[in-house]
Amino acid sequence: MSIKIALAGNPNCGKTTLFNGLTGSNQFVGNWPGVTVEKKEGKLKGSKDVIIMDLPGIYSLSPYTLEEVVARNYLITERPDAILNIVDGTNLERNLYLSTQLMELGIPVLMAVNMMDIVKKNGDQINIDALSRELGCPVVEISALKGTGIMDAAAKAVELARAGGKAAPVHEFGSEVEHVLDEIEASLGGGIPEAQKRFYAIKLFERDDKIAAQMTMVPDVERLIKGAEEAMDDDAESIITNERYTYIASIINGCYVRKNRQKLSTSDKIDHIVTNRWLALPIFAVVMWIVYYVSVTTVGTWATDWANDGVFGEGWSLFGMEVPGIPVLVEGFLTAVGCADWLSSLILDGIVAGVGAVLGFVPQMLVLFIFLAFLEACGYMARVAFIMDRIFRKFGLSGKSFIPMLIGTGCGVPGIMASRTIENDRDRKMTIMTTTFIPCGAKLPIIALFAGALFGGASWVAPSAYFVGIAAIIFSGIILKKTKMFAGDPAPFVMELPAYHMPTVTNVLRSMWERGWSFIKKAGTVILLSTIFIWFTSSFGFVDGSFGMVEDLSDGILASIGRGIAWIFAPLGWGSWQAAVAAITGLVAKENVVGTFGILYGFAEVAEDGQEIWGTLAGSFTAVSAYSFLVFNLLCAPCFAAMGAIKREMNNAKWTWFAIGYQTVLAYGVSLCIYQLGSWFMTGSFVIGTVAAIILVVLFIYLLIRPYKESRSLNVGVKAKSAA
């Protein structure tokens, strides 16, 4: 029989690092039943019968956020064999608040005090034995980042579970509260296990809405609670909170000795600079510029050139030996076996050219993912959320909205799903609508292709794509918050900033590989099928009244479809059927934009100097139209998978179509302005499209600066209703 160990702790306490260290590659990722909060579980290294469940990071078991509801429901209904409670040793008081609640569940608890290396480095002392005595549960010290003591902690948790260890004794509140809790606990029916009655009694005392129906079991419960509130001159929930912190303070005074209480830590000193009101944004801009410059323009480009020109090109040299590229090997094999022309064309011009054009950009993506993983693991991205909260709040969003956008840099689907944790319905809908404006991993090949082929590897192209997404989010927030649909104050944002620390190479590489492997799998499934479809529709068509393979791609079915829709994009500067088709196929998967160009422009063919034939693509665009195309594909409706995620999260067809429509219209309008006004400034051409662009800019400025009439009327209405 398997043993279940639940990992529980505050956000940024090192829980995920510990989970990765305990399970290694034996992980299974999914969603909790009925919700889209990510669920991770894995088998303990060396123990096939021990399952580690990674609960969402939470601050309490109160049902304020979806993560808290998920964690509480799991602990109450599933009842794991033991709880491994991870506590941040550098912030013991805040972390012990959750610990006191976990101990009330009647499940054996082992506390692991994490970051003990930092605690000792700071000169602080935690008396582990005294802490264990005061809490009544076993306590161990670990460093999840360095892997110190983690396997011993897991072994003790398993031992505790197998021995059917007793739950930690719960602490007692003040006499007034204890009297009410005893009455409630004694009145709870047999449907609740004895071990959980204390937890239910406390939650009923706090008037927990999620289990308020239980109050009918307890006679005169409201009278008892009101009596305690009157005696202590406070509301029930605040009474419990104050009692918990009083208890925690009594423990810490005897177990925790701080050195240099008034001295600023290294993290505090760094934060004085990176979160400074005036310096924070310029520093963030410089950091992201460096990330994209290295990923797309320098190191990433060298690696991608090797992949495109070598692996998916003519070949490369290895220790003096000439190694042929995949197209050369495949073509030689097909010729040797006498493969039919149509099948040879499918494999070479369809699969190798299409999928190869996408996979050629994997090195750049991996470099980008390494940077992002490092910034997340070291603690800087948590500061970015804090920085963006100050900005977003002015425009109607909270810093919580930046978390899904941060997740969306890897893939828009989990980014959209992460918006589920935002309590405010208006903020959640707006976040869903704007999250995919941030360039995800699938859009990086488009950015890299155009930066290299159209802008000569200019260093400003890739970072500008990121900040175009940020600008679209901010401007959307300003505009949408002035409508009745989204009017209202943004949700509060509370986030604990972790201490800066140097991430381990293993964790950074693991994060990079998980994101990269997800992209590669998509290339082997969705993109493969898409490129086969694109090859077929571009290589077959009607010529002289008969259907068959065509020599000129402009005679194919795809070209006919492209010419039928190209007029829509002509005002944006890219009215060729190839560009129109690429933009449409990008709706299936954004990587398809590059794959489509790979097929239509013959990226599988290699010139004598080993360079891809990008000249034909570059000849189809000007600098202005190329940037217009790039921005359109960054801001328009996302891929089908992300659209599906939007539909699941919106849970409403009208809202889904509104979100997709808003994204597409905004993308079209911005791209129109970029091309028309850019052409006017650069060439002096003033046409009807220029007039339309000027009108759009004026309208856009008006929507940005107009007063918040709807918001004010809504707030007045709410106040008037409250006053009545």
Side-chain angles (χ1 to χ4, degrees), residues 25 37 81 108 134 199 201 212 229 238 260 271 331 359 369 436-437 459 482 586-587 589 592 606 633 648 678 690 700:
S25 60
V37 173
D81 299 293
E134 291 291 337
F199 174 78
E229 288 178 331
S238 297
N260 299 325
D271 282 339
E331 185 176 13
L359 290 180
F369 291 157
T436 55
F437 288 154
S459 62
K482 295 178 181 180
L587 295 177
N592 275 340
V606 181
N633 282 277
R648 288 194 300 272
T690 312
F700 192 62

Side-chain angles (χ1 to χ4, degrees), residues 162 178 210 266 340 354 389 456 481 488 500 540 561 567 570 666 674:
R162 283 186 173 146
E178 280 299 324
K210 297 293 181 182
T266 303
D389 178 61
K481 269 294 181 178
Y500 288 103
F540 286 81
I561 297 173
W567 62 272
L666 178 67
I674 288 174

Side-chain angles (χ1 to χ4, degrees), residues 432-455:
I432 291 170
M433 289 174 57
T434 56
T435 290
T436 55
F437 288 154
I438 293 288
C440 63
K443 295 175 183 176
L444 185 65
I446 307 175
I447 298 171
L449 172 62
F450 274 73
L454 279 304
F455 294 96

Side-chain angles (χ1 to χ4, degrees), residues 17-145:
T17 304
L18 176 62
F19 175 74
N20 290 335
L22 294 178
T23 60
S25 60
N26 304 315
Q27 299 177 12
F28 309 92
V29 181
N31 292 319
W32 297 94
V35 295
T36 52
V37 173
E38 191 176 78
K39 173 177 73 172
K40 280 189 176 181
E41 64 177 273
K43 293 182 179 179
L44 181 65
K45 288 179 183 177
S47 301
K48 294 182 179 180
D49 62 337
V50 179
I51 297 173
I52 307 292
M53 177 63 71
D54 185 18
L55 297 180
I58 56 175
Y59 289 110
S60 75
L61 292 179
S62 302
Y64 296 124
T65 67
L66 186 66
E67 296 103 317
E68 291 169 347
V69 173
V70 164
R72 192 174 76 170
N73 288 348
Y74 175 80
L75 293 171
I76 291 176
T77 57
E78 298 293 328
R79 290 194 65 78
D81 299 293
I83 298 174
L84 182 52
N85 175 211
I86 300 90
V87 171
D88 178 0
T90 64
N91 196 357
L92 197 58
E93 183 177 10
R94 179 68 188 86
N95 282 240
L96 285 179
Y97 188 88
L98 173 64
S99 302
T100 60
Q101 293 183 316
L102 294 175
M103 293 172 188
E104 291 160 358
L105 289 167
I107 301 172
V109 175
L110 171 70
M111 180 179 292
V113 182
N114 192 22
M115 305 185 193
M116 284 300 296
D117 53 327
I118 299 176
V119 172
K120 293 174 181 177
K121 185 179 179 181
N122 293 338
D124 299 339
Q125 293 180 353
I126 298 178
N127 190 327
I128 297 296
D129 294 333
L131 184 61
S132 178
R133 282 196 307 271
E134 291 291 337
L135 291 172
C137 74
V139 181
V140 296
E141 58 180 67
I142 66 169
S143 173
L145 186 65

Side-chain angles (χ1 to χ4, degrees), residues 685-696:
S685 61
F686 191 92
V687 294
I688 187 66
T690 312
V691 177
I694 293 173
I695 293 173
L696 277 177

Side-chain angles (χ1 to χ4, degrees), residues 149-196:
I150 62 172
M151 295 310 295
D152 289 339
K156 289 183 179 180
V158 172
E159 183 183 343
L160 189 66
R162 283 186 173 146
K166 294 181 180 179
V170 296
H171 70 280
E172 291 192 356
F173 297 100
S175 58
E176 289 288 342
V177 178
E178 280 299 324
H179 168 68
V180 178
L181 292 178
D182 289 342
E183 290 279 344
I184 297 175
E185 196 171 348
S187 303
L188 287 171
I192 299 174
E194 288 295 325
Q196 292 183 2

